[in-house]
Short mmCIF file of all heavy atoms in Angstrom, two decimals:
data_model
loop_
_atom_site.label_atom_id
_atom_site.label_comp_id
_atom_site.label_asym_id
_atom_site.label_seq_id
_atom_site.Cartn_x
_atom_site.Cartn_y
_atom_site.Cartn_z
N TYR A 18 -35.20 13.88 -9.66
CA TYR A 18 -36.22 13.78 -10.70
C TYR A 18 -35.55 14.27 -11.99
O TYR A 18 -34.43 14.79 -11.96
CB TYR A 18 -37.44 14.65 -10.34
CG TYR A 18 -38.04 14.24 -9.02
CD1 TYR A 18 -37.50 14.70 -7.82
CD2 TYR A 18 -39.09 13.33 -8.96
CE1 TYR A 18 -38.01 14.28 -6.60
CE2 TYR A 18 -39.60 12.91 -7.75
CZ TYR A 18 -39.06 13.38 -6.57
OH TYR A 18 -39.56 12.96 -5.37
N ASP A 256 -48.76 25.11 -16.94
CA ASP A 256 -49.92 25.44 -17.77
C ASP A 256 -49.84 24.71 -19.11
O ASP A 256 -50.86 24.25 -19.63
CB ASP A 256 -50.00 26.96 -18.02
CG ASP A 256 -50.27 27.73 -16.74
OD1 ASP A 256 -49.56 27.46 -15.75
OD2 ASP A 256 -51.18 28.59 -16.74
N GLU A 420 -82.60 25.15 8.52
CA GLU A 420 -83.20 25.51 7.24
C GLU A 420 -82.16 25.54 6.12
O GLU A 420 -82.44 25.10 5.00
CB GLU A 420 -83.87 26.89 7.38
CG GLU A 420 -84.66 27.27 6.14
CD GLU A 420 -85.29 28.65 6.23
OE1 GLU A 420 -85.15 29.31 7.30
OE2 GLU A 420 -85.90 29.07 5.24
N ASP A 622 -73.95 23.98 2.74
CA ASP A 622 -74.55 25.27 3.04
C ASP A 622 -75.36 25.63 1.80
O ASP A 622 -74.79 25.96 0.76
CB ASP A 622 -73.44 26.30 3.31
CG ASP A 622 -74.00 27.69 3.58
OD1 ASP A 622 -75.20 27.92 3.32
OD2 ASP A 622 -73.22 28.55 4.04
N GLU A 653 -55.99 6.02 1.31
CA GLU A 653 -56.33 7.42 1.67
C GLU A 653 -56.10 8.35 0.49
O GLU A 653 -56.93 9.19 0.18
CB GLU A 653 -55.48 7.87 2.86
CG GLU A 653 -55.84 7.13 4.14
CD GLU A 653 -54.89 7.43 5.30
OE1 GLU A 653 -53.84 8.07 5.08
OE2 GLU A 653 -55.19 7.01 6.42
N ILE A 686 -57.59 21.05 -6.97
CA ILE A 686 -57.48 19.71 -6.38
C ILE A 686 -57.58 19.87 -4.86
O ILE A 686 -57.41 20.95 -4.32
CB ILE A 686 -56.17 19.01 -6.79
CG1 ILE A 686 -54.93 19.64 -6.13
CG2 ILE A 686 -56.00 19.01 -8.31
CD1 ILE A 686 -53.66 18.82 -6.28
N TYR A 753 -69.78 23.50 -6.04
CA TYR A 753 -70.64 24.41 -5.26
C TYR A 753 -71.76 24.96 -6.12
O TYR A 753 -72.84 25.25 -5.64
CB TYR A 753 -69.82 25.51 -4.60
CG TYR A 753 -69.07 26.51 -5.49
CD1 TYR A 753 -68.60 27.70 -4.93
CD2 TYR A 753 -68.81 26.28 -6.83
CE1 TYR A 753 -67.90 28.64 -5.69
CE2 TYR A 753 -68.11 27.20 -7.59
CZ TYR A 753 -67.67 28.37 -7.03
OH TYR A 753 -66.97 29.28 -7.78
N GLU A 754 -71.47 25.05 -7.41
CA GLU A 754 -72.48 25.56 -8.33
C GLU A 754 -73.64 24.56 -8.46
O GLU A 754 -74.81 24.93 -8.43
CB GLU A 754 -71.80 25.76 -9.69
CG GLU A 754 -72.38 26.86 -10.49
CD GLU A 754 -71.41 27.36 -11.57
OE1 GLU A 754 -70.30 26.82 -11.71
OE2 GLU A 754 -71.79 28.29 -12.27
N CYS B 119 -44.68 10.18 -3.81
CA CYS B 119 -43.79 10.44 -4.95
C CYS B 119 -42.65 11.36 -4.56
O CYS B 119 -41.62 11.38 -5.21
CB CYS B 119 -44.57 11.00 -6.14
SG CYS B 119 -44.83 12.78 -6.12
N ARG B 160 -53.44 12.97 5.35
CA ARG B 160 -53.61 12.55 6.73
C ARG B 160 -52.28 12.25 7.43
O ARG B 160 -52.03 12.73 8.54
CB ARG B 160 -54.57 11.35 6.84
CG ARG B 160 -55.05 11.11 8.26
CD ARG B 160 -55.23 9.64 8.58
NE ARG B 160 -54.25 8.75 8.03
CZ ARG B 160 -53.09 8.46 8.60
NH1 ARG B 160 -52.77 8.99 9.75
NH2 ARG B 160 -52.26 7.64 8.01
N LYS B 242 -45.67 33.73 -15.17
CA LYS B 242 -46.76 33.13 -15.92
C LYS B 242 -46.92 33.74 -17.31
O LYS B 242 -47.07 33.04 -18.29
CB LYS B 242 -48.09 33.27 -15.16
CG LYS B 242 -48.10 32.61 -13.81
CD LYS B 242 -48.27 31.11 -13.90
CE LYS B 242 -49.66 30.74 -14.36
NZ LYS B 242 -49.88 29.29 -14.23
N ARG B 386 -63.17 26.06 -3.89
CA ARG B 386 -62.56 25.23 -2.86
C ARG B 386 -62.49 26.09 -1.60
O ARG B 386 -62.26 27.28 -1.70
CB ARG B 386 -61.15 24.80 -3.33
CG ARG B 386 -60.46 23.81 -2.43
CD ARG B 386 -59.15 23.35 -3.06
NE ARG B 386 -58.21 24.46 -3.19
CZ ARG B 386 -57.09 24.39 -3.92
NH1 ARG B 386 -56.78 23.29 -4.57
NH2 ARG B 386 -56.29 25.42 -3.99
N THR B 393 -64.99 33.68 -5.45
CA THR B 393 -65.88 33.83 -6.59
C THR B 393 -66.77 35.03 -6.31
O THR B 393 -66.93 35.92 -7.14
CB THR B 393 -66.72 32.56 -6.77
OG1 THR B 393 -65.84 31.46 -6.92
CG2 THR B 393 -67.64 32.67 -7.97
N ARG B 438 -86.99 39.27 8.01
CA ARG B 438 -86.75 38.34 6.90
C ARG B 438 -87.55 38.71 5.67
O ARG B 438 -87.04 38.64 4.55
CB ARG B 438 -87.08 36.91 7.35
CG ARG B 438 -86.83 35.90 6.25
CD ARG B 438 -86.30 34.61 6.77
NE ARG B 438 -86.22 33.63 5.70
CZ ARG B 438 -86.03 32.36 5.89
NH1 ARG B 438 -85.91 31.88 7.11
NH2 ARG B 438 -85.95 31.53 4.87
N GLU B 461 -70.64 30.47 -13.10
CA GLU B 461 -71.53 31.12 -14.06
C GLU B 461 -72.16 32.34 -13.39
O GLU B 461 -72.25 32.43 -12.16
CB GLU B 461 -72.63 30.16 -14.50
CG GLU B 461 -72.13 28.89 -15.18
CD GLU B 461 -71.34 29.17 -16.46
OE1 GLU B 461 -71.86 29.88 -17.34
OE2 GLU B 461 -70.20 28.67 -16.57
N LYS B 475 -77.85 35.43 4.60
CA LYS B 475 -76.93 34.82 5.57
C LYS B 475 -76.57 35.85 6.65
O LYS B 475 -76.56 35.54 7.84
CB LYS B 475 -75.67 34.34 4.83
CG LYS B 475 -74.96 33.20 5.50
CD LYS B 475 -73.87 32.68 4.55
CE LYS B 475 -73.11 31.54 5.17
NZ LYS B 475 -73.93 30.42 5.63
#
Side-chain angles (χ1 to χ4, degrees):
Chain A
Y18 302 83
D256 295 49
E420 186 182 357
D622 178 347
E653 292 172 351
I686 71 168
Y753 64 164
E754 210 160 2
Chain B
C119 85
R160 195 215 39 86
K242 300 283 290 189
R386 187 174 64 192
T393 303
R438 180 144 174 193
E461 300 299 307
K475 206 171 179 55

